[in-house]
Amino acid sequence: MSKEATVLFDAPGPRAQARNRVMTVVSAVVLLAIFAALVWRFKEKGQFAGELWSPFLKWTVWKELILPGLGNTLKAAAVAAVLAMLFGIVFGLGRLSDHWWIRIPAGAVVEFFRAIPLLILIFLAFFVPNKISPSIADSQFGTLQRLLVDDFFSLFGVKINAGVIVVPAFAAVVFGLVLYNGSVLAEVVRAGVLSIPKGQAEAAYSIGLRKNGVMRLVLLPQAIRVMMPAIVSQIVVLLKDTALGFIIAYSELLNAGFNLIPANYHNNKIQAGIVIAVVYIAINMAVSRFATWLESRGRRNRKTGGTTLGAGAPAAAAELSVKNVTAGEMGSPGL
């Protein structure tokens, strides 16, 4: 720990450092004692019996249950993450619109879906279309309903038969994840854009860029770097939320590992829970590591990248002008 004082607290002195070391040792001993007690209780209850753990050493269990469930989890998470990002960008920028007829509806949609629990959204997506689609089919919107299902929602496995819409579990899970996480990401996008200093936009306007160009060329590229940690955190949340699909019998990782395996192998729910938890932790750590690598690579590119001006590079000139104008506003010497 640095001996210099920070904004949050003063640097600890010798007595404080000694006290912190003692508290660290005591805390570690207490945690180890709790862990040892848990291990002892597990041993007393026979939870370390080989027959309870042996299913996870069989390739057939992984091939027929765990890996297919993992594949369904990753598939739902990947599709939902892409659509949630698109949802978040559209509605996040919509909330920043100068037109009230765009800003207010976008804000209402975001606040509405943020306020509804994800589990309810999944239930609504799974059960409601089947109930209301026959009435819609008999109305003047019946043709529109069929076109939407055949041309768009069929990509997610949604079918319509005699005016009745059948939503598969995969589509219901993706629908709920997109609406809920997309609404959260919309707020992340809005906050990220608003976090950029106003001088950046003012400098871009001063060289003749319109709002679309300012947003696309100046604000969003900088905001993405600010938003990256929050986006990664929300994607991790989205990945874990796919586990709610077991409520509607979606064959994802939790359903396959925590329900099907114990039902066939000595009711080993504790062992199954530990193994599935480790798999989830590994996936989320991989996602976080990839995001960290992506961010560090972008940071290296910004440090090493140069700007070459020429007759055929008006965009680079405009970008350099924005930087110079901004530097002038901050008191730095410009060109």
Side-chain angles (χ1 to χ4, degrees), residues 17-323:
Q17 291 180 0
R19 185 168 58 251
N20 291 340
R21 285 193 291 268
V22 171
M23 293 178 62
T24 300
V25 172
V26 172
S27 300
V29 171
V30 171
L31 291 176
L32 287 174
I34 294 174
F35 179 75
L38 289 175
V39 172
W40 179 259
R41 291 293 294 173
F42 268 49
K43 184 178 180 181
E44 283 188 335
K45 297 296 183 179
Q47 295 298 326
F48 290 113
E51 62 179 7
L52 298 178
W53 294 92
S54 60
F56 302 102
L57 301 178
K58 298 178 180 179
W59 171 243
T60 55
V61 172
W62 287 85
K63 180 181 178 181
E64 298 177 3
L65 295 175
I66 297 179
L67 292 182
L70 177 60
N72 289 334
T73 291
L74 295 178
K75 181 172 68 173
V79 174
V82 172
L83 295 179
M85 278 301 305
L86 294 176
F87 185 99
I89 292 173
V90 170
F91 284 90
L93 297 181
R95 298 200 68 178
L96 297 173
S97 176
D98 295 332
H99 306 289
W100 67 266
W101 49 272
I102 296 178
R103 184 176 62 255
I104 293 179
V109 169
V110 170
E111 295 298 333
F112 178 78
F113 288 115
R114 282 179 64 201
I116 299 180
L118 174 57
L119 189 58
I120 293 180
L121 290 176
I122 294 175
F123 272 126
L124 292 176
F126 191 67
F127 293 107
V128 170
N130 183 268
K131 302 296 183 182
I132 66 173
S133 56
S135 299
I136 298 177
D138 295 334
S139 67
Q140 57 184 343
F141 299 104
T143 303
L144 177 60
Q145 175 180 260
R146 176 171 289 277
L147 289 176
L148 287 175
V149 172
D150 291 340
D151 296 339
F152 178 71
F153 291 107
S154 60
L155 298 174
F156 303 96
V158 180
K159 299 179 181 179
I160 184 170
N161 186 16
V164 178
I165 294 179
V166 178
V167 179
F170 169 78
V173 171
V174 170
F175 177 84
L177 292 174
V178 169
L179 292 182
Y180 180 78
N181 292 280
S183 299
V184 176
L185 289 173
E187 286 298 283
V188 172
V189 171
R190 185 175 71 92
V193 173
L194 292 178
S195 69
I196 305 301
K198 293 183 178 180
Q200 298 285 329
E202 294 172 355
Y205 284 127
S206 70
I207 62 174
L209 288 178
R210 296 179 179 273
K211 184 172 183 178
N212 178 46
V214 172
M215 185 66 69
R216 181 170 50 88
L217 300 175
V218 179
L219 297 182
L220 275 181
Q222 299 180 72
I224 289 175
R225 297 194 292 269
V226 175
M227 297 183 296
M228 185 60 69
I231 290 175
V232 173
S233 298
Q234 196 59 38
I235 290 177
V236 171
V237 171
L238 183 151
L239 178 62
K240 293 188 295 184
D241 284 345
T242 57
L244 293 176
F246 86 94
I247 296 294
I248 56 174
Y250 180 58
S251 300
E252 42 75 46
L253 179 60
L254 183 64
N255 186 32
F258 197 65
N259 289 335
L260 300 181
I261 292 178
N264 293 279
Y265 295 95
H266 312 290
N267 196 29
N268 55 348
K269 282 188 174 293
I270 294 179
Q271 293 74 16
I274 293 174
V275 172
I276 298 305
V278 170
V279 175
Y280 272 113
I281 291 172
I283 297 172
N284 292 330
M285 289 183 64
V287 172
S288 300
R289 292 286 295 178
F290 174 75
T292 302
W293 171 81
L294 192 64
E295 185 180 3
S296 62
R297 181 179 180 183
R299 188 162 52 248
R300 287 197 304 269
N301 290 341
R302 293 195 299 274
K303 289 181 180 179
T304 59
T307 303
T308 303
L309 298 180
E319 181 180 357
L320 184 59
S321 299
V322 171
K323 292 181 180 179

Side-chain angles (χ1 to χ4, degrees), residues 322-334:
V322 171
K323 292 181 180 179
N324 291 335
V325 173
T326 305
E329 291 180 353
M330 297 175 62
S332 300

